[in-house]
């Protein structure tokens, strides 16, 4: 694949890989942002305003549950162009390839005459992701599923239910102090997902 030696961070490096471009080397839309654009569109199309009939037809074609399509399908839609983050694709545009090399990316060792389409590369990666997801993603009910009335098979519902529990917690004294301490400790909140750095405010209310 494409490797970079000079850029300061992986996030900045991958954002220099082009997905759409015009004539100017600096006039490009990063492949990752294009993937996110398409994923968000899919999320909107599968949201609350989507035609139930269309969702049922799509779910039938995919062998999935129509009610959970919006929970996972947009992620796979977003991955449709992950093959663009490859030397095979990034070298297709001479101006962009020259820019990348100037920025410290290396294409050394790559078979220049291997012209694998980016959609084929994407299919290979997505197949790997799907295989891993099938093995690691939880299914069925968690140990508290019956008591809470939730299931891993409906992610949106389980998050809503657990969020309501969180908002309705009423504590005082040492229990309240302990709850605030745990919920404001680094690594307890959602830094790796939505970016929140705390689960509660200093007064113990849900953040």
């Amino acid at each position: 694949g494409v490797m970079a030696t000079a850029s300061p961070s992986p996030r900045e490096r991958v954002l220099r890989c082009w997905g759409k471009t015009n004539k100017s080397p600096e006039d490009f839309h990063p492949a990752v942002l294009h993937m996110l654009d398409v994923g968000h569109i899919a999320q909107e199309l599968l949201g609350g305003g989507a035609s139930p009939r269309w969702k049922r037809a799509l779910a039938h074609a995919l062998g999935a549950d129509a009610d959970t399509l919006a929970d996972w399908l947009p992620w796979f839609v977003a991955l449709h162009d992950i093959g663009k983050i490859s030397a095979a694709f990034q070298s297709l545009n001479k101006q962009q390839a020259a820019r990348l090399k100037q920025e410290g990316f290396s294409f050394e060792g790559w078979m220049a005459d291997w012209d694998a389409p980016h959609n084929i590369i994407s299919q290979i990666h997505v197949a790997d992701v799907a295989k891993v997801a099938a093995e690691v993603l939880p299914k069925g009910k968690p140990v508290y599923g019956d008591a809470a009335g939730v299931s891993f098979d409906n992610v949106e519902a389980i998050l809503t239910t657990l969020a309501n529990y969180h908002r309705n917690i009423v504590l005082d004294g040492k229990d309240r102090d302990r709850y605030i301490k745990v919920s404001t400790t680094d690594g307890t909140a959602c830094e790796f997902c939505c970016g929140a750095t705390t689960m509660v405010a200093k007064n113990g209310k849900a953040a």
Side-chain angles (χ1 to χ4, degrees), residues 16-199:
R16 300 305 291 170
C17 293
W18 65 280
K20 302 288 183 181
T21 186
N22 290 322
K23 294 182 179 180
S24 171
E26 287 302 321
D27 188 9
F28 69 93
H29 189 51
V32 169
L33 297 188
H34 167 65
M35 291 159 61
L36 291 174
D37 291 340
V38 177
H40 282 301
I41 291 173
Q43 194 171 42
E44 287 296 318
L45 292 175
L46 292 168
S51 163
R53 182 178 180 182
W54 179 73
K55 288 177 67 175
R56 286 195 300 270
L58 182 59
H60 178 74
L62 295 173
D65 182 356
D67 293 332
T68 63
L69 285 177
D71 296 333
W72 59 271
L73 187 54
W75 293 97
F76 283 95
V77 172
L79 289 172
H80 80 289
D81 262 350
I82 196 171
K84 286 187 174 181
I85 307 177
S86 66
F89 181 84
Q90 293 297 308
S91 61
L92 288 178
N93 183 286
K94 293 181 179 180
Q95 289 82 7
Q96 291 297 337
R99 172 185 62 78
L100 289 167
K101 291 177 181 178
Q102 194 173 37
E103 293 179 3
F105 286 77
S106 173
F107 292 81
E108 292 182 6
W110 187 258
M111 296 172 60
D113 58 345
W114 194 67
D115 58 351
H118 71 274
N119 62 304
I120 299 299
I121 300 174
S122 293
Q123 288 178 35
I124 295 171
H125 282 289
V126 171
D128 288 341
V129 171
K131 182 178 179 181
V132 172
E135 294 177 356
V136 303
L137 292 181
K139 298 179 181 179
K141 292 182 180 180
V143 293
Y144 52 83
D146 288 330
V150 296
S151 168
F152 286 127
D153 298 326
N154 191 331
V155 177
E156 186 174 351
I158 194 172
L159 290 176
T160 300
T161 300
L162 295 180
N164 288 334
Y165 278 133
H166 174 61
R167 295 189 185 97
N168 296 327
I169 289 176
V170 178
L171 300 171
D172 55 30
K174 292 183 179 180
D175 288 336
R176 177 176 174 276
D177 293 340
R178 179 178 180 277
Y179 177 69
I180 293 174
K181 182 178 180 180
V182 171
S183 298
T184 55
T185 299
D186 288 345
T188 305
C190 303
E191 295 96 329
F192 303 106
C193 182
C194 67
T197 56
T198 179
M199 292 169 57

